[in-house]
Amino acid sequence: MSDRRRRKSLSIFRPSVNSLTPILDDSPSSAPALSLKKKLRQSSTFSMPPTPTSPLSSPVLERTNSQKSFGRSSSPITLSRPRTLQKVSRPTSIFGSFRSLHSLQDEDESLVRTQSTPSSVNEDSSSYFDVLNMIVLHHGEVQSGGGMFRKKNTYLVLTNSHLLRFKSQAKAAEAFPSIPPSLGRTSTTRHSRLSSAGSMHEASPPNDGCVSTPLSQVVAVYKLDDGRPYFTIEVAHLDEETNQASTMSLSLNDPRESDLWLSSIRAAITKSRLTDPTPPIRRTIEHLVRAVEHECDYDPLHFRVFKVVQRATKTGARSSSDDLAKLTSNIYYLVIGFQKIHLVPLPRLTKSGSSTSLSESSGCSHGVVSLTSIFMQSFDDAFQLAFRVPLQPSKTLFLASSSVTDIALWVRHAADFLRPTWLEQPFSWHVPRALDDSILPVSAPDEEDHFCFDRTLTAYCSAYNVDPSNIRYTVSYSCEDAPQFELLEPNHSRRSRYTVLELLSIMRALRYNESFHSISFRNIDLSGLHGLSDHFGSEHLLWTTRSGVPLTLPLKDQSWLLVQEIQSLALKSKRLRRLNFFHCLKRKPRDEDGFRDPGSGICEALFPLCAQQLTNVDWITLNGVTLAEIDIDYLYAAAIEKSCHFRAVDLGHCGLGDGSLKTVMEALLHQEETLESVDYSGNPVRLNPELLAKQLYRLQRVRKLDLSNTHCSAGKRGLLESGTLLRWRLEELSLSGTVLNEESVDALASYFADPKSNTLRQVQLNQCQLSGKDVAKLLKAMCAGRTQPREVDFQVSENKLELGHDLLVEAFQSSTTPSQMTMQMLEYTREQNFRDLIEALSTNKSLLYLDISRTSLPFDANEQTCKVLRHTLETNDTLQELNLSGEETHLEAVTLGPGLRYALKGLEANRSLKVLRIEHQALGLPGANALATVLENNHTLSELYCEDNGISLQSFTLIVNALKNNTSVFHLPNMDKDRAWSRQRVDREIDGMRDNSSSTTGPSTKSTVRKAFSGAIHSGRSFSGRGTEKPGSMPGYTEQDVQAAVASLDQRWDAQVRRLHGYLRRNYCTAHGLPLPEDDATSPAGESRKGSAGDGLAGALMAASLDRTPKMEFDLQLGDEYRVGGDTDKGGILTGAREVSEEHNEKLIDIGDDESDSGGELIMARARPY
């Protein structure tokens, strides 16, 4: 594993040439000049600037007009020679697959051919070699060949700028006098540096058969393990101007001789690039930018380019000579982008006849955070990069580059940048130890929100090929142990569960993150990780604690991914205190003979860490997770350790039996000094009140108690005692679903009356079989002796409040109620009781929030009840939030009836109510009219929730129009559910007419469009007021017309939604003193007329007259009886359209106070195609 060691920052300033370390020192085993690479860490292929900038805007992209000559002198000297170098062509395969160099016999044959494209060999007969500036660094005889038994001797000369190959030592001596012209085998020991500058006779040009390679074109020098009985060095080089690439294989018998050549060539290349860097080529940069942009990974600030060789590797332990001969290598560009590492092939030239001679190859991309290993050695340019995606085998890239040191450092920098909070990178860092001092620093992670969490998350999504837009989360700052990271359901229309790779991306991005004190997976299905193991690698496992102490957890490499990831979250964060797994696993216990249930995995992950004090997590929520016997064992082993300091282990709805719950309760008694929450709700057990009271009495710091949906043993003893409750400072008390007898009610009343209960903020007593008398007793005890209303959320839903209802009404009248009360699903057998409660509410001065939704009456509310409700809405001046919503199920609908529309008008005079919820009350068009009137006159209401009320487009338009002069409303729904209801209703009516038309007989060409429209109006009115006709034949429209009509309906809905958003933005900006947005949706021109359905019809008809056929075609299609101005224009459809176009204020349909306006909606939808 790679440790984060940042001891020195990397020097990015280029040293002067005079201060460079000599390439070859006196020691024969000296390595390449590593100190030079340390001094110039920016020496990549294109010599990127120290501060990354866009390669296309950098001045180094300007192409230099360099001459093709061996020398770099500004004034080269041309020398005469007895023989001229003929212009020849290289073999066509030399730049194809990178085999060993052809034999010299092949070279001799190639010298007489004519080359159509330039090569890396500089053999232009019009120029001569400038050997005056060449310094011979090393020379000797080597062997090169294409096959195992095809070896040819060649004489190699290494200078300060080129690597030259001669047919013999004599040929080399002709070019360089410093080389002795011995005919025997020359010594391959290191030669001294002798300059070839001198007289004309001393510096004779090389003869025929010389092949040169500029050191600036060398990509990599590395040892080649090809199975031959030699010590082979491979030199890969590339001419970027022509995209010509090739390799040179040098075989030697002596390993020391091979090491000497390898170190000498690498040192010469290093110094050559430091003294004379090669500028980048624009077309190459543009090609690489396009390739990286295709992967959506281009960022000018994170763009590093290097030339690399993808080395050939053997596939087996033993290979034949033919297989070894087929081993090929390819040259690529290695691009380190923002989130990925790309292997980009060389660009192909577009000219015909000048295509590159490369083998067919394609690039690849791997995520930086999926890196598992970096391996390099100091003696050659070879290195390896290994990547792995979870649940897949590893992929290794065998590469080589003369910039291997820079590549390793920049890859490490990219990984550190994407995971800035990780103290230990999850990949193997096998590099020379001296390289650790040159690791590049990254910016502090606290410069971005949440310690760069988004940066790390998107990097994992990119590496795992996951769409990050599907991931939704929120960060809460108003909860306990804030800030809290809460994962939400995926942003996907077709699935509600995260995939395995998405979950792994999220969890691994959360590792080491110190910005979150709580992490919640509430209602997020983690079943995909349950029972799943990754046997392809172990780099994601944690072997040490955050402080570096080795872990001693058993079989952690064989555990599930769920266990490993949860352990990583708890182990690597010091500030993480709370983990919430509320209903995150949907599993069933497996009780089979001879098979033990493996459990949930969550207990296996967390409780051993807690027992060994390896994590600071002390609040664990397991509600809704079915626990097995092994989970109880893990919990018990940790809970008996007082050093765990658990604040909470919530076990609601965990499927615990009597024995399991007893074991858990006994174990948690060891945490009596720190336990703050007790939650045993929803477990199929029968509690003994006496035993429960003894155990609860020992706890000292309980703030939350949840015993909902539990059963008690038979007896008169109450479930709780007031003495036990008074020992604590309770904030939340939940007993919903648990039957409370008279003793329990008295104990609660005594507790509420005591000042020690002032810390209570929420009391849930739903479905406790309480009567109105019991609730009145609790309310009186809660508010006794107080002048101000108590700020408690008191919930008593689904109780029998009609028993002793008079006492409850009296409590409301006397304002002995807390500030918030919830009384949902009340069933009244007498409407008078409900009317009395509403009337008492008119004089109540303590309630700020009241929820009486889903109240059931024997019949619809009568006129007297509606008048009382209207009076209460007018006169109550303390209530700020009211919920009057109904309920709609498949079997029945619970509403207050049509009289509610009359009662709502009382809100016109209300000046205290801010939030009104009135959903599922079947308001329809009359209710929409009432709400529109309220919005026009009420300027205190800020939030209105009115979905699921049968609101059509016309009704929605009325409500939106009412916002024109209202500046107080900040929230009003888009009516998506009502829109879907309206659409389904239109579709059903269209299908019904299709069925009717298909069952009728007779000609269909003279069927009227008017019949189709008017048949959809349930009120029986026609569109021009002349009568109606029952549809009995095929309507005169096509399937395309129907689709156009539905599309028109959707467009009109969208237009109203845009207007709504414009008004809400205007109100928000006005309230907060912000400049008003420029939005045409709020202008008068965008307003639809109130209550007019004719606009929709007129617009559809006018659009149809422009989009469809000419007038004659209309006449032929509709028939003579529907011609404009004809005597038989019964429906007057086209005439009506023109009338509307001339008189915009005319109403074509007068629906009035009908509850449904589906007919008008259908007309607007169907009229558009005509």
Side-chain angles (χ1 to χ4, degrees), residues 1050-1092:
D1050 291 338
Q1051 291 174 2
R1052 295 175 185 276
W1053 270 103
D1054 294 337
Q1056 297 305 319
V1057 171
R1058 287 193 297 269
R1059 292 182 59 228
L1060 171 64
H1061 291 173
Y1063 287 130
L1064 296 181
R1065 285 196 301 269
R1066 180 203 63 186
N1067 295 350
Y1068 180 84
C1069 294
T1070 302
H1072 294 82
L1074 301 176
L1076 296 178
E1078 297 180 1
D1079 193 347
D1080 294 336
T1082 60
S1083 64
E1087 181 181 349
S1088 297
R1089 283 185 310 282
K1090 180 168 149 183
S1092 175

Side-chain angles (χ1 to χ4, degrees), residues 1008-1020:
T1008 65
V1009 180
R1010 176 187 152 280
K1011 292 180 180 180
F1013 292 154
S1014 61
I1017 304 178
H1018 300 291
S1019 61

Side-chain angles (χ1 to χ4, degrees), residues 682-893:
N683 290 295
V685 297
R686 183 170 294 275
L687 297 176
N688 186 339
E690 184 176 358
L691 179 61
L692 177 65
K694 291 181 180 180
Q695 293 182 338
L696 293 180
Y697 190 82
R698 292 181 55 182
L699 304 180
Q700 304 175 11
R701 303 182 60 182
V702 176
R703 296 187 298 113
K704 299 180 180 181
L705 178 62
D706 191 349
L707 298 177
S708 303
N709 299 299
T710 57
H711 301 279
C712 299
S713 302
K716 296 184 179 181
R717 186 185 181 95
L719 178 64
L720 296 174
E721 297 180 354
S722 59
T724 302
L725 298 176
L726 291 174
R727 284 177 54 86
W728 306 327
R729 296 294 181 264
L730 279 180
E731 298 176 6
E732 297 180 12
L733 175 62
S734 179
L735 300 174
S736 299
T738 302
V739 178
L740 299 180
N741 54 17
E742 186 176 356
E743 286 73 13
S744 299
V745 174
D746 293 340
L748 290 176
S750 300
Y751 170 66
F752 290 157
D754 195 281
K756 293 183 179 180
S757 67
N758 292 342
T759 56
L760 268 178
R761 293 296 176 264
Q762 186 179 68
V763 179
Q764 298 182 12
L765 300 178
N766 306 315
Q767 292 182 320
C768 293
Q769 298 187 8
L770 298 177
S771 64
K773 177 182 178 181
D774 298 332
V775 174
K777 180 187 293 187
L778 296 177
L779 291 177
K780 184 177 180 179
M782 187 178 296
C783 301
R786 297 178 182 271
T787 58
Q788 297 295 329
R790 190 165 181 175
E791 295 183 0
V792 177
D793 181 12
F794 191 62
Q795 302 180 15
V796 287
S797 301
E798 300 183 71
N799 285 295
K800 301 178 181 180
L801 301 186
E802 200 170 18
L803 300 176
H805 194 268
D806 294 342
L807 298 176
L808 179 62
V809 171
E810 182 181 350
F812 270 71
Q813 289 176 340
S814 60
S815 300
T816 55
T817 54
S819 61
Q820 302 180 39
M821 283 197 67
T822 301
M823 300 188 299
Q824 297 181 356
M825 299 186 69
L826 300 181
E827 295 186 5
Y828 284 98
T829 58
R830 297 178 63 249
E831 186 176 346
Q832 178 66 38
N833 292 332
F834 177 72
R835 185 163 55 247
D836 294 341
L837 182 66
I838 296 300
E839 187 175 5
L841 183 62
S842 62
T843 59
N844 186 280
K845 301 298 181 182
S846 60
L847 275 175
L848 303 179
Y849 171 91
L850 177 62
D851 183 355
I852 53 174
S853 60
R854 296 185 286 178
T855 298
S856 176
L857 301 179
F859 304 100
D860 291 341
N862 57 29
E863 181 179 357
Q864 185 178 2
T865 301
C866 294
K867 288 182 179 180
V868 172
L869 179 58
R870 177 171 180 171
H871 175 72
T872 299
L873 295 178
E874 289 178 348
T875 57
N876 186 284
D877 56 357
T878 57
L879 197 62
Q880 298 182 3
E881 185 170 351
L882 176 63
N883 192 342
L884 292 174
S885 300
E887 183 180 24
E888 185 177 356
T889 62
H890 293 288
L891 300 178
E892 62 177 350

Side-chain angles (χ1 to χ4, degrees), residues 23-69:
I23 296 179
L24 300 176
D25 55 16
D26 295 335
S27 173
S29 59
S30 62
L34 183 61
S35 60
L36 298 180
K37 296 184 179 181
K38 290 184 179 179
K39 294 180 180 179
L40 191 63
R41 202 48 71 198
Q42 298 286 344
S43 60
S44 64
T45 298
F46 294 146
S47 301
M48 290 296 179
T51 302
T53 58
S54 173
L56 297 179
S57 61
S58 176
V60 299
L61 296 182
E62 298 296 331
R63 295 278 301 278
T64 58
N65 190 15
S66 59
Q67 298 180 354
K68 291 190 175 183
S69 62

